[in-house]
Amino acid sequence: MRIGFIGLGNMGGPMALNLIKAGHIVTVHDIRKNMAEAHLAGGAKWAETPADAAKEAELVLTSLPGPREVEAVAIGGENGIIHGISKTAVWADLSTNSPTVIRRLHGIFAEKGIAVLDAPVSGGVPGARNATLAVMVGGDEQVYQRIKPALDGIGDKVSYVGAIGAGAVAKLVHNMIAIGSMQLLAEAFTMGVKAGVPAEALFTQVQNGAYGQGMLLRALPRMIFKGNFDRVSFALKLARKDLGLATELARENNVPMPLANLVEQDLLTALAHGLGELDSSAAFTVQEDRAGVKVRAS
Ligand code: NAD
């Protein structure tokens, strides 16, 4: 496939190299030309502008910092992708972008009959280097099927999520969990270390415990999606007791834990609403009530 690739940073650089290795004919562009050295050595062509990178391409891929850069590269000035891309080509944005922005750009390209997909990736630089990324694709499903063989060159978990913007929504859900959990791990491990247990020992025990065995993620389809909160395996009142003991231990050790204290308030809310005898996963409903939406699925 003839591919135009724009944005050769930490993620885009190795992704574009993998596409070259997979035998695609690749034209590259970045505002920093030195980022393209390995690609040009590997046989890629250089384009001076996004429009030029798009000109001969059947597929245009972008891996840019965020919404502002994606918009500038897509439609900015006379050098945007939209001014070079052919009507039969597809533009897929691999950046972590705003669903609203990609939907708007999709609309602008659609007026010219050009297909746009959002295809954010997950797996970090190692995933980009080893072509083992997850790629979360939104947009027209037939267009997705057409370009999937090329996306298989950058990831081994390429999948269709739904209409335009759905990939970006899924990616934000993923990153919110990943980023939020890391801060929660930071609270828990600072509390644990300051309370006198070495980090390695804590890590081993967390890994051996239910959380480390992936139980929390498995609870989503088993409990939350089904609204199955009266099948109790760990009662909510016990979860509140445990979190209460943790926040108490943190106070004893002068460890600020803003996230854990907020979560404790949710558990207290659930108890106040009489959910204490239900499974601890029923605390999920406190956020569902706040948000006015249920997270259920078959
Ligand atoms: P990066 O900053 O390393 O790369 C972005 C590249 O875009 C740079 O080479 C920069 O020169 C280029 N660029 C910026 N503005 C440009 C413009 N107007 N025209 C042409 N080129 C331009 O960022 P990254 O870490 O490679 O991330 C790229 C995207 O992938 C981001 O949206 C990021 O959120 C997402 N992402 C990153 C990771 C990660 O682990 N780094 C993982 C998954 C997804």
Side-chain angles (χ1 to χ4, degrees):
M1 207 175 232
R2 286 193 308 278
I3 298 175
F5 201 108
I6 301 162
L8 303 170
N10 292 325
M11 295 296 287
M15 284 195 270
L17 280 175
N18 282 332
L19 292 169
I20 296 167
K21 278 190 213 138
H24 297 288
I25 302 159
V26 181
T27 301
V28 293
H29 171 75
D30 193 290
I31 37 168
R32 301 177 293 166
K33 188 171 180 184
N34 64 312
M35 298 306 283
E37 273 167 20
H39 308 84
L40 302 184
K45 274 197 342 189
W46 173 253
E48 283 298 334
T49 66
D52 284 343
K55 220 157 248 166
E56 315 231 303
E58 296 160 276
L59 172 63
V60 178
L61 295 171
T62 44
S63 176
L64 297 161
R68 207 154 38 99
E69 293 82 6
V70 173
E71 180 154 355
V73 163
I75 57 173
E78 290 167 5
N79 295 324
I81 293 168
I82 200 162
H83 300 297
I85 193 167
S86 96
K87 280 201 187 318
T88 53
V90 178
W91 166 39
D93 182 26
L94 307 169
S95 323
T96 302
N97 195 357
S98 143
T100 308
V101 168
I102 197 66
R103 283 175 183 144
R104 187 157 48 76
L105 293 171
H106 171 269
I108 294 169
F109 277 64
E111 281 170 24
K112 296 198 158 202
I114 300 158
V116 172
L117 301 174
D118 53 318
V121 301
S122 182
V125 172
R129 286 210 182 110
N130 302 326
T132 53
L133 292 169
V135 189
M136 314 174 186
V137 187
D140 185 292
E141 194 165 3
Q142 283 175 352
V143 173
Y144 160 72
Q145 291 298 349
R146 233 166 67 212
I147 68 148
K148 183 171 183 292
L151 296 180
D152 288 336
I154 59 167
D156 61 357
K157 293 169 281 293
V158 179
S159 58
Y160 181 72
V161 188
I164 187 70
V169 171
K171 169 74 186 180
L172 295 183
V173 167
H174 173 276
N175 274 23
M176 201 200 110
I177 293 170
I179 295 162
S181 307
M182 188 52 97
Q183 289 317 102
L184 208 53
L185 288 179
E187 286 191 2
F189 275 77
T190 50
M191 174 189 76
V193 168
K194 223 170 164 187
V197 182
E200 298 85 347
L202 293 172
F203 181 77
T204 304
Q205 299 317 315
V206 173
Q207 201 170 34
N208 289 346
Y211 173 79
Q213 299 297 308
M215 204 171 106
L216 212 60
L217 195 59
R218 283 200 295 275
L220 277 175
R222 272 194 202 154
M223 310 292 288
I224 313 287
F225 289 0
K226 292 186 180 142
N228 227 349
F229 307 119
D230 42 18
R231 240 188 61 198
V232 182
S233 66
F234 176 46
L236 199 142
K237 61 181 182 189
L238 295 182
R240 201 225 65 81
K241 180 252 316 176
D242 289 0
L243 201 62
L245 289 174
T247 50
E248 196 179 299
L249 182 64
R251 274 190 289 275
E252 284 166 18
N253 286 282
N254 290 332
V255 177
M257 299 217 297
L259 295 175
N261 279 284
L262 283 176
V263 175
E264 190 178 7
Q265 295 305 308
D266 273 6
L267 298 190
L268 287 169
T269 305
L271 282 191
H273 285 89
L275 309 183
E277 303 298 329
L278 297 182
D279 189 70
S280 58
S281 55
F284 208 92
T285 61
V286 174
Q287 170 62 12
E288 288 182 334
D289 291 346
R290 257 195 308 255
V293 68
K294 296 278 180 217
V295 182
R296 301 287 174 273
S298 51

